[in-house]
C-alpha cells in the first residue's frame, strides 16, 4: 500500500508538470504571434527651409494609423535623435518645444494643433494693479468686441510626415523632417504727429487673427481672436512692437477687417483699419510690417494714468475707418 501511494504521488506530480508545461507552451505560442516589436527609430531634421531657427528642444508625435494613442518624444538635439518605438504605421508631426506660450492639443493627426492661452487685453502694460480689471474696461471696436483675447505665440517651426512605416526586424530606420516657420512675425510701427513724452505708455491689439495652427493643414485655424502687442518708444516720435501670429482670417473670409487698436496710459485710444497691410504683407511671404502715420498721441496725465477702478475712458479718440 505504501508503495502504491508513492506511485500515485509520482503520477500526480507528473500530471501537474504536464499541465504547467502545456500552459507555458500556450503562452509561448501567443508571444510568437505578438508582432508589437520595439526598435530604435532615428528622427532627423533638415533646416534648409528655416536656417535661422534656434529651437531649445524638438518634439515629435507619432500618431498610429490604427487609431491608438499618440506617442510624444522630446529631446534637445535639433539635428538628430534616436528613440524607441513599436513597429506600426504612423503619421508624424514635428515642432519645437520648451516654449513659454505654445500649447499642444489634439489626439489625432488631423485634429492636432498648436495654440496659446487666454490673455488680458492690456497685459503688455504691466504696471497696473489689475491688468485683468483694466482690460475689461478697455474699449474695443464694435465688430470685433466679442473675439477671445489670446497670447501672441512664440516662434513655431513645424513639419509633418504621412504614412510612416516602422517595420519590425528591419534594422535601424529613420524619419526625416524639414521644419518650416509656421508663425508670422509682425512689426508694428506707430509714428506720432509730435514728439513723444517718455512718461507715456502704450500697447496695441490686432483683431481677426487665427487662434491656432494645424501642422496637418499647414495653416492657421480656429476662432478669430484678438492678440495684444507690447509697444516701446523708439526715437522721439514712434512706438514700435513685434508679435508673432498663426496667420489671419482663419475661416478663409478675406472680407473680414483687421483692426489695430492702440491704448495709452492717458486713457485715450485709437482704432486703425490695417486690413490691406495684413493681407498684402502675408500674401507676399515673410514678415509683415504695419505702419500707421501721424498718430495724435496725447501727453501723459502724470500721477493718474489708467487706473483699474475707473471704468470710463475720457477724451476718447476715434480715427475714421474706411470699411469699403
Amino acid at each position: 500500500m505504501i508503495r502504491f501511494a508513492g506511485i500515485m504521488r509520482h503520477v500526480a506530480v507528473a500530471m501537474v508538470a504536464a499541465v504547467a508545461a502545456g500552459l507555458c507552451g500556450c503562452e509561448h505560442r501567443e508571444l510568437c504571434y505578438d508582432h508589437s516589436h520595439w526598435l530604435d527609430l532615428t528622427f532627423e531634421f533638415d533646416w534648409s527651409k528655416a536656417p535661422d531657427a534656434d529651437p531649445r528642444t524638438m518634439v515629435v508625435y507619432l500618431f498610429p494609423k490604427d487609431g491608438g494613442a499618440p506617442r510624444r518624444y522630446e529631446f534637445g538635439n535639433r539635428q538628430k535623435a534616436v528613440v524607441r518605438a513599436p513597429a506600426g504605421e504612423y503619421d508624424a508631426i514635428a515642432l519645437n518645444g520648451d516654449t513659454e506660450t505654445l500649447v499642444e492639443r489634439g489626439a489625432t493627426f488631423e485634429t492636432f494643433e498648436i495654440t496659446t492661452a487666454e490673455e488680458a487685453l492690456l497685459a503688455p502694460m504691466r504696471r497696473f494693479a489689475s491688468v485683468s480689471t483694466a482690460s475689461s474696461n478697455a474699449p474695443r471696436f464694435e465688430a470685433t468686441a466679442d473675439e477671445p483675447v489670446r497670447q501672441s505665440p512664440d516662434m513655431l517651426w513645424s513639419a509633418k510626415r504621412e504614412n510612416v512605416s516602422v517595420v519590425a526586424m528591419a534594422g535601424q530606420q529613420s524619419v526625416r523632417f524639414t521644419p518650416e516657420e509656421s508663425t508670422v512675425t509682425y512689426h508694428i510701427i506707430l509714428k506720432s504727429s509730435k514728439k513723444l513724452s517718455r512718461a507715456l505708455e502704450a500697447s496695441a491689439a490686432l483683431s481677426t487673427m487665427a487662434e491656432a495652427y494645424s501642422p496637418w493643414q499647414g495653416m492657421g485655424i480656429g476662432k478669430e481672436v484678438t492678440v495684444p502687442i507690447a509697444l516701446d518708444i523708439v526715437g522721439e516720435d514712434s512706438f514700435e512692437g513685434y508679435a508673432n501670429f498663426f496667420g489671419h482670417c482663419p475661416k478663409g473670409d478675406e472680407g473680414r477687417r483687421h483692426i489695430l487698436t492702440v491704448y495709452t496710459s492717458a486713457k485715450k485710444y485709437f482704432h486703425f483699419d490695417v486690413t490691406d497691410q495684413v493681407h498684402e504683407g502675408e500674401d507676399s511671404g515673410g514678415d509683415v510690417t504695419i505702419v500707421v502715420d501721424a498718430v495724435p498721441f496725447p501727453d501723459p496725465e502724470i500721477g493718474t494714468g489708467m487706473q483699474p477702478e475707473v471704468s470710463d475712458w475720457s477724451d476718447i479718440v476715434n480715427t475714421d475707418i474706411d470699411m469699403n
Side-chain angles (χ1 to χ4, degrees), residues 47 49-55 58 78-79 155 157 179-181:
W47 292 99
K49 293 185 178 180
D52 297 328
D54 57 347
M58 291 302 296
R78 65 189 294 272
Q79 301 295 339
M155 290 285 289
W157 298 278
E180 298 183 58
E181 187 173 340

Side-chain angles (χ1 to χ4, degrees), residues 139-192:
R140 300 181 67 179
F141 187 67
E142 183 177 359
T144 60
D146 293 334
E147 291 183 359
V149 180
R150 294 278 187 169
Q151 290 178 321
S152 170
D154 291 330
M155 290 285 289
L156 171 66
W157 298 278
S158 69
K160 69 175 182 179
R161 286 288 308 272
E162 298 184 63
N163 302 316
V164 174
S165 296
V166 180
V167 182
M169 311 300 291
Q172 185 70 37
Q173 298 169 71
S174 64
V175 182
R176 191 173 185 84
F177 297 96
T178 306
E180 298 183 58
E181 187 173 340
S182 304
T183 46
V184 182
T185 300
Y186 278 58
H187 182 195
I188 310 298
I189 303 173
L190 305 170
K191 297 182 179 180
S192 177

Side-chain angles (χ1 to χ4, degrees), residues 19-280:
V19 171
L23 291 175
C24 291
C26 292
E27 182 180 2
H28 177 71
R29 283 194 295 272
E30 289 175 1
L31 286 175
C32 289
Y33 287 101
D34 181 7
H35 295 290
S36 298
H37 300 289
W38 289 70
L39 66 156
D40 288 341
L41 180 63
T42 301
F43 297 133
E44 299 177 336
F45 299 95
D46 172 8
W47 292 99
S48 59
K49 293 185 178 180
D52 297 328
D54 57 347
R56 297 177 183 173
T57 66
M58 291 302 296
V59 173
V60 172
Y61 278 86
L62 293 180
F63 296 92
K65 295 184 75 68
D66 63 4
R71 297 186 177 277
R72 183 184 189 274
Y73 304 89
E74 184 166 8
F75 36 85
N77 191 328
R78 65 189 294 272
Q79 301 295 339
K80 180 184 294 187
V82 179
V83 302
R84 294 285 291 174
E89 298 292 324
Y90 300 93
D91 294 319
I93 287 173
L95 66 148
N96 54 301
D98 191 20
T99 63
E100 295 183 3
T101 63
L102 298 181
V103 177
E104 304 159 15
R105 66 186 184 189
T108 68
F109 181 63
E110 291 80 7
T111 63
F112 182 81
E113 61 187 26
I114 301 100
T115 186
T116 60
E118 294 183 357
E119 179 76 291
L121 190 63
L122 300 181
M125 288 195 282
R126 295 179 295 273
R127 70 181 177 90
F128 304 112
S130 174
V131 172
S132 296
T133 303
S135 295
S136 66
N137 298 328
R140 300 181 67 179
F141 187 67
E142 183 177 359
T144 60
D146 293 334
E147 291 183 359
V149 180
R150 294 278 187 169
Q151 290 178 321
S152 170
D154 291 330
M155 290 285 289
L156 171 66
W157 298 278
S158 69
K160 69 175 182 179
R161 286 288 308 272
E162 298 184 63
N163 302 316
V164 174
S165 296
V166 180
V167 182
M169 311 300 291
Q172 185 70 37
Q173 298 169 71
S174 64
V175 182
R176 191 173 185 84
F177 297 96
T178 306
E180 298 183 58
E181 187 173 340
S182 304
T183 46
V184 182
T185 300
Y186 278 58
H187 182 195
I188 310 298
I189 303 173
L190 305 170
K191 297 182 179 180
S192 177
S193 57
K194 59 184 178 181
K195 183 177 179 179
L196 290 169
S197 168
R198 291 284 172 175
L200 183 70
E201 293 186 45
S203 69
L206 184 59
S207 74
T208 322
M209 306 305 286
E211 172 191 21
Y213 183 83
S214 166
W216 170 57
Q217 300 179 65
M219 61 184 292
I221 62 170
K223 300 176 182 178
E224 295 170 340
V225 300
T226 295
V227 178
I229 305 166
L231 298 175
D232 294 302
I233 291 180
V234 177
E236 295 184 345
D237 63 351
S238 297
F239 272 103
E240 296 187 24
Y242 291 86
N244 297 322
F245 296 88
F246 294 122
H248 67 84
C249 299
K251 298 179 181 179
D253 183 4
E254 295 296 331
R256 296 285 290 170
R257 312 305 295 178
H258 298 280
I259 308 302
L260 181 71
T261 301
V262 180
Y263 300 97
T264 71
S265 56
K267 295 209 72 176
K268 293 185 179 180
Y269 69 96
F270 310 85
H271 292 313
F272 301 101
D273 188 334
V274 295
T275 303
D276 290 343
Q277 294 190 63
V278 169
H279 290 180
E280 292 172 5

Side-chain angles (χ1 to χ4, degrees), residues 4-19:
F4 178 76
I7 292 173
M8 292 303 295
R9 281 197 298 273
H10 285 298
V11 172
V13 170
M15 291 178 64
V16 171
V19 171

